[in-house]
Amino acid sequence: MLNHYDIIIVGTGSGGSTIAWKLAETGKKILILERGDFIPKEKANWDPHEVVTKGRYRPSEMWYDGNDQPFKPYIHYAVGGNSKMYGAALFRFRETDFKAVKHYGGVSPEWPLQYEDYEPYYEEAEQLYQVHGERGIDPSEPWANAPYPHPPLSYEPLILELEQQLKAIGLKPFPLPMGVKLPQDFSSTEAPVILENFDGFPDPTDSKADAQVSCLRPALRNKNCILLTNAYVEKLLTNEDGDRVEQVVVTIRGERMLFSADHFFIACGAVNTAALFLRSTNSKHLKGLANSSGLVGRNLMLHHNGCLVAFTKKNNDSIFQKSLGLADFYHGAPDSEYPLGEIQLMGRNDPDTINWMGKTLFPDKSYEELKRMSIDFWLTAEDLPDEENRVTLKEDGSIRVNYKQTNYTAYEKLKQQLKKIFERLGETDPDYRDVKWGGYDLDISGMSHQNGTMRFGDDPAASVLDSNCKTHDLDNVYVVDASFFPSCGAFNPALTIAANALRVGEHFIRTVLSNEKMVSNKDQTMAS
């Protein structure tokens, strides 16, 4: 069979590329399918107007909200998936993120596994993605058996001063754990890379430790791994009994093709993974593939994310601002019994966004003046699962996302905490008095940190996947993107996606492939 493989992987983001790296060592014949193409290394990679305002690397497709109103999702179909554009802040989830926790919007459910089950895979993922950081500073951080692979990125002068001022008012700022591979980390005889346009931009220097650079590229050095780009997976086809997937229907540049495999790993992103399973109906799976629980596409979570920009009297000449975080309010605050979330410095906002914010606050100031005044923060609060927040398909097959915000009170309170911090800073530093605030909140179109649509668990009636991320209903299909999350914490999910893919890959190698090898050896012995 010309188009038969041992393993087919669909998607090349943090889950798909990481599982490809893990399985490449097995020598199995692996086909990796990516609906997008390589993002070219070009001058426009770092052009804010092209990348941010015009969305140069975003797809043109439209999704629909619960009222059937179209919107253009902020996603990227490319080799490396959304990690090509991510900010590479690679956090471990906290111990409490795996437990049931009460929030303003309800209860964040417990996972079937706990932090200790993930800890060794977090360590492996940090090595793989070259994480820079320092343990023992962040008051919310979980225990770890090893230090970060690399020391934290250095603070620029304004950020170093801000760190000291935050400490002086009793807070515990910490260096962000950043996934970057810099020549200066390994050699003093190479020219250093100076990071600037980073989160939200592709990186033509390959310094960003995205999924393609860190995992897919080394996986493809193995002759047993093949990548096909511009390969849109339309449908998964099962056997007659409906308990195994046998083939995928793929469109490559307008040509429909069939590929078969013994095992399948799906990692299209939480929305598109759910859509793929819903598209794959047949006589044995009338509600969608692997959907006996009725939960495929349900419990979509997006995180409450947004930006607050402090316009101060300081002169902020930082080039790479994304270096400092605050998690003092992660588990609550003096005026909040429930968790709020975390705050990070983010990369400098693009000129169009800063001018948009400044036109009402400071109508007479130029972009360069506004940039010098601005300090950009990114805030994240936990979204909670709700079965009515779900992915479905319209009659024409296009994606519909029904979503309403949960636990938004925590996000609003987190904003107030940041503003209070600057009020306190202004008591001793006149340059922080009378701060004016700009900003924006991500709405449904942001698709920020999408997860939860194929939750895992021990009960087939209450979950789609088992604890090893294999579908309950199918013997040979795994899901390794963020779809498996039962809850999402309030930290960036990429490292947890990668750690889980490593865990699932190890389980698959240790149990499934080893059992197949034993059977094969037994058959050979009997035949001889």
Side-chain angles (χ1 to χ4, degrees):
M1 295 177 63
L2 182 63
N3 288 338
H4 183 78
Y5 295 83
D6 297 311
I7 296 166
I8 288 179
I9 298 169
V10 184
T12 60
S14 296
S17 288
T18 305
I19 199 77
W21 178 87
K22 186 69 175 179
L23 298 181
E25 67 190 34
T26 66
K28 293 294 184 180
K29 187 179 179 184
I30 300 172
L31 175 65
I32 305 162
L33 299 170
E34 168 55 53
R35 72 183 294 175
D37 208 337
F38 289 92
I39 293 178
K41 294 182 178 183
E42 57 184 353
K43 184 178 180 180
N45 287 168
W46 283 342
D47 183 329
H49 184 72
E50 281 291 319
V51 175
V52 181
T53 306
K54 295 177 66 175
R56 183 180 184 90
Y57 304 112
R58 292 168 61 190
S60 59
E61 72 176 278
M62 303 300 287
W63 293 356
Y64 295 83
D65 65 18
N67 296 315
D68 275 344
Q69 295 301 304
F71 66 92
K72 184 178 180 181
Y74 196 90
I75 54 174
H76 298 85
Y77 299 144
V79 177
N82 284 314
S83 77
K84 293 303 293 184
M85 313 295 285
Y86 78 164
L90 296 176
F91 290 92
R92 298 182 178 204
F93 278 5
R94 281 36 188 160
E95 291 105 320
T96 54
D97 291 329
F98 298 89
K99 301 181 182 298
V101 177
K102 184 73 172 70
H103 291 264
Y104 285 100
V107 176
S108 179
E110 186 168 13
W111 289 39
L113 301 176
Q114 295 298 299
Y115 174 77
E116 54 266 26
D117 298 305
Y118 279 95
E119 198 283 333
Y121 304 104
Y122 274 132
E123 182 180 333
E124 186 179 2
E126 287 168 347
Q127 293 285 341
L128 192 56
Y129 283 84
Q130 302 286 327
V131 182
H132 293 59
E134 185 174 356
R135 306 216 193 273
I137 302 175
D138 174 3
S140 74
E141 74 175 347
W143 58 270
N145 281 319
Y148 283 108
H150 301 284
L153 301 180
S154 298
Y155 293 139
E156 297 188 49
L158 175 70
I159 310 307
L160 182 61
E161 179 189 59
L162 178 61
E163 178 205 39
Q164 297 304 315
Q165 291 173 311
L166 292 170
K167 288 180 177 178
I169 62 174
L171 297 173
K172 297 179 180 178
F174 60 89
L176 295 179
M178 297 294 298
V180 288
K181 187 176 182 179
L182 303 171
Q184 54 264 41
D185 292 332
F186 305 96
S187 172
S188 59
T189 60
E190 294 289 334
V193 168
I194 306 302
L195 302 172
E196 187 170 0
N197 286 352
F198 191 77
D199 39 344
F201 293 85
D203 181 9
T205 73
D206 285 346
S207 297
K208 183 188 294 188
D210 61 47
Q212 182 218 346
V213 170
S214 300
C215 294
L216 187 61
R217 181 180 292 160
L220 291 173
R221 295 191 187 112
N222 296 273
K223 293 182 179 179
N224 57 303
C225 295
I226 298 171
L227 170 68
L228 291 182
T229 61
N230 298 290
Y232 171 65
V233 178
E234 295 181 29
K235 193 171 184 179
L236 306 174
L237 303 179
T238 70
N239 59 4
E240 288 186 6
D241 292 333
D243 59 359
R244 293 179 65 84
V245 167
E246 292 188 334
Q247 295 177 309
V248 290
V249 182
V250 185
T251 300
I252 302 177
R253 301 186 185 279
E255 180 182 359
R256 285 186 108 205
M257 301 181 69
L258 290 175
F259 297 95
S260 62
D262 300 323
H263 306 282
F264 297 82
F265 291 84
I266 310 302
C268 308
V271 172
N272 273 297
T273 288
L276 172 58
F277 279 78
L278 292 172
R279 283 198 302 270
S280 301
T281 55
N282 61 34
S283 61
K284 300 292 184 180
H285 300 269
L286 297 175
K287 298 184 297 180
L289 205 59
N291 198 20
S292 62
S293 65
L295 293 175
V296 170
R298 293 186 182 270
N299 296 300
L300 172 69
M301 292 168 281
L302 298 177
H303 272 160
H304 301 307
N305 274 334
C307 166
L308 273 180
V309 176
F311 290 93
T312 75
K313 302 179 184 70
K314 289 285 185 185
N315 178 27
N316 184 6
D317 58 1
S318 300
I319 297 173
F320 189 75
Q321 183 177 252
K322 190 183 178 74
S323 55
L324 177 145
L326 282 171
D328 296 75
F329 315 115
Y330 196 76
H331 295 116
D335 57 354
S336 174
E337 62 177 313
Y338 298 126
L340 298 185
E342 49 91 10
I343 300 166
Q344 306 170 32
L345 282 172
M346 60 179 284
R348 309 300 299 269
N349 267 291
D350 62 286
D352 291 344
T353 299
I354 288 295
N355 283 330
W356 165 72
M357 292 180 191
K359 69 181 180 181
T360 54
L361 297 173
F362 308 98
D364 298 327
K365 292 190 179 295
S366 68
Y367 163 69
E368 290 300 330
E369 291 174 303
L370 293 169
K371 181 180 179 181
R372 286 194 295 270
M373 297 169 60
S374 64
I375 306 175
D376 313 66
F377 293 90
W378 190 254
L379 287 75
T380 301
E382 184 163 351
D383 196 11
L384 299 179
D386 184 323
E387 287 193 6
E388 295 307 310
N389 284 349
R390 62 184 301 200
V391 177
T392 58
L393 300 177
K394 291 168 63 70
E395 288 186 6
D396 64 359
S398 55
I399 291 173
R400 178 192 287 121
V401 181
N402 190 78
Y403 177 77
K404 63 180 180 181
Q405 295 169 334
T406 69
N407 198 41
Y408 205 72
T409 299
Y411 179 61
E412 290 295 335
K413 287 182 174 291
L414 188 63
K415 289 182 185 178
Q416 295 306 313
Q417 291 294 339
L418 181 58
K419 292 177 180 179
K420 289 177 184 178
I421 287 171
F422 273 81
E423 290 174 3
R424 294 178 65 190
L425 294 176
E427 292 173 1
T428 55
D429 186 337
D431 286 342
Y432 285 134
R433 291 175 189 162
D434 303 317
V435 171
K436 294 187 183 298
W437 292 93
Y440 54 84
D441 300 340
L442 295 190
D443 60 13
I444 187 174
S445 66
M447 282 290 121
S448 186
H449 301 165
Q450 54 180 272
N451 68 90
T453 57
M454 306 278 289
R455 66 157 58 178
F456 78 155
D458 297 322
D459 181 2
S463 57
V464 180
L465 311 173
D466 67 16
S467 60
N468 292 308
C469 291
K470 183 186 76 64
T471 59
H472 289 297
D473 299 349
L474 301 161
D475 293 337
N476 64 336
V477 182
Y478 297 77
V479 174
V480 291
D481 54 25
S483 303
F484 82 96
F485 285 19
S487 66
C488 60
F491 278 111
N492 311 49
L495 191 71
T496 300
I497 298 170
N500 183 69
L502 294 170
R503 180 187 69 87
V504 171
E506 181 177 292
H507 162 80
F508 180 76
I509 294 169
R510 189 179 64 248
T511 59
V512 178
L513 293 187
S514 64
N515 288 340
E516 288 181 355
K517 185 176 181 180
M518 289 174 60
V519 171
S520 176
N521 290 340
K522 182 178 179 181
D523 290 344
Q524 290 175 13
T525 301
M526 292 177 66
S528 62

